[in-house]
Amino acid sequence: MKIADIDLGYRPVMLAPMEDVTDPSFRLICREMGASMVYTEFVSAEALVRDIASTVRKLTIDDRERPVAIQIYGRDAEAMVEAARIVERARPDIIDINFGCPVKKVAGKGAGAGMLRDIPKMLDITRRVVQAVDLPVTVKTRLGWDCENKIITDLGPMLQDCGIKALTVHGRTRSQMYTGTADWTLIKALKDDPRMEIPIIGNGDICTPEQARDAFDTFGVDGVMIGRASFGAPWIFKEVRQLIDTGSYSPVSVEEKFALLRRQIHESVDRIDEYRGILHIRRHLAASPLFKGIPNFRETRIKMLRADKLDQLESVLDECAKRIAE
């Protein structure tokens, strides 16, 4: 699959953009594990234009991550255009527009999935961003605002006409948030539309290597994007890649999983500081499937979430590793 001139290889599997999750360390680990492309945390166009330091830091990328996309969101066309030009100077491979974030502080203000209620404005922003930069521009969105307005099969060709080079669709409406089950049938319908010439990437409920493989086989998408299933489990990309490329896979060992989580912890601390770095990484640890099989894990999980020193967190992980090995 290609996005413009960027070759992502056979049946690419990508890391979804996620706020407070897809930091530089996590992106690099996912690339090393086999992710075909990674996305930054989403970047507020207005904050970027105002030169807010915490937002500008999100533009920092490592050449080892490539190909990497920086995702922007906003509701004002002028700010989105200016933000796209600022992002272009950070030299990502792709600029992605977020028309899919469902959270109230974004969608409720008309940005992200909120744009699904104002399609003319969505198309105007897309067209103007495409015209403002030389990099390939892509879009990530949802099926529609709610179950009565699943418009993606009509919206897809219109976005393509704006000049985007790929379209990612999360198989839920904004009103669903992350509840229920992702509906891939409309993603397939869009992919099967003879008008569509750009790659269609499917997103939603891909939690296992088998589900990733089946998304390609059943729905015919060009690429698959994995989001929440990568929390605390960057190794999912290694297992997916093996299954797609060879027809089978060997689960990543417990030892390698612990090594990857410890690496995330240390790199988070090194990048920020001990207290805030641990605070940031606890979200990954709390969601990790690595600990699900530990009996009576509740007390240990509480200790993990309360740890604010590196040695405390290391001690909890040692305890977990010991209990898994028993």
Side-chain angles (χ1 to χ4, degrees), residues 114-325:
M115 281 289 169
L116 289 163
R117 293 194 291 184
D118 191 346
I119 300 307
K121 189 173 186 179
M122 176 194 285
L123 297 176
D124 179 57
I125 287 174
T126 304
R127 192 177 298 109
R128 291 177 65 179
V129 168
V130 168
Q131 293 171 351
V133 297
D134 292 326
L135 289 174
V137 175
T138 60
V139 162
K140 186 173 189 287
T141 189
R142 289 185 167 232
L143 301 179
W145 178 258
D146 55 31
C147 291
E148 286 71 46
N149 295 280
K150 293 182 178 180
I151 61 171
I152 191 62
T153 53
D154 293 322
L155 178 61
M158 290 190 284
L159 287 168
Q160 177 178 256
D161 289 345
C162 292
I164 65 170
K165 300 303 182 184
L167 176 60
T168 301
V169 181
H170 183 110
R172 288 182 173 86
T173 63
R174 187 273 172 180
S175 64
Q176 285 181 277
M177 300 292 285
Y178 296 101
T179 63
T181 303
D183 178 5
W184 283 65
T185 60
L186 288 178
I187 301 176
K188 176 175 170 52
L190 182 64
K191 175 58 188 173
D192 290 344
D193 188 330
R195 294 174 295 174
M196 296 306 297
E197 299 177 352
I198 60 174
I200 302 299
I201 301 160
N203 176 223
D205 294 349
I206 301 298
C207 301
T208 67
E210 291 81 5
Q211 288 172 330
R213 176 200 59 200
D214 293 347
F216 286 107
D217 291 344
T218 304
F219 301 105
V221 291
D222 298 290
V224 164
M225 188 173 282
I226 296 178
R228 289 173 294 162
S230 68
F231 282 18
W235 51 81
I236 190 173
F237 292 100
K238 184 175 184 178
E239 296 175 345
V240 170
R241 195 72 259 158
Q242 281 186 356
L243 180 61
I244 289 173
D245 291 341
T246 70
S248 64
Y249 71 97
S250 301
V252 172
S253 69
V254 171
E255 291 76 18
E256 185 175 358
K257 290 176 180 178
F258 271 105
L260 288 169
L261 293 184
R262 291 180 191 276
R263 174 181 166 186
Q264 276 190 262
I265 294 167
H266 283 271
E267 290 183 356
S268 181
V269 168
D270 290 344
R271 183 171 60 89
I272 312 172
D273 57 46
E274 184 175 38
Y275 177 74
R276 291 182 301 157
I278 289 173
L279 207 63
H280 167 74
I281 209 64
R282 287 190 316 206
R283 181 174 185 180
H284 291 259
L285 298 177
S288 180
L290 179 56
F291 308 117
K292 286 184 178 178
I294 298 177
N296 304 313
F297 181 64
R298 184 173 179 275
E299 289 187 11
T300 306
R301 187 175 186 273
I302 290 172
K303 284 197 292 185
M304 181 184 292
L305 294 177
R306 287 178 176 172
D308 57 10
K309 298 288 185 182
L310 193 54
D311 58 351
Q312 293 173 347
L313 200 50
E314 289 279 13
S315 178
V316 174
L317 289 185
D318 288 342
E319 178 186 338
C320 291
K322 182 179 178 181
R323 294 177 67 185
I324 290 174

Side-chain angles (χ1 to χ4, degrees), residues 7 34 61 85 105 124 132 257 277:
D7 191 345
I61 56 178
R85 288 172 174 152
K105 69 177 182 179
D124 179 57
K257 290 176 180 178

Side-chain angles (χ1 to χ4, degrees), residues 1-3 6-12 14 36-37 67 241:
M1 182 190 107
K2 283 187 174 183
I3 297 178
I6 302 165
D7 191 345
L8 299 179
Y10 175 69
R11 291 191 164 185
M14 287 154 269
S36 306
M37 184 165 73
R241 195 72 259 158

Side-chain angles (χ1 to χ4, degrees), residues 50 87 91 113 155 272 295:
R50 295 201 311 270
V87 166
R91 298 179 55 251
L155 178 61
I272 312 172

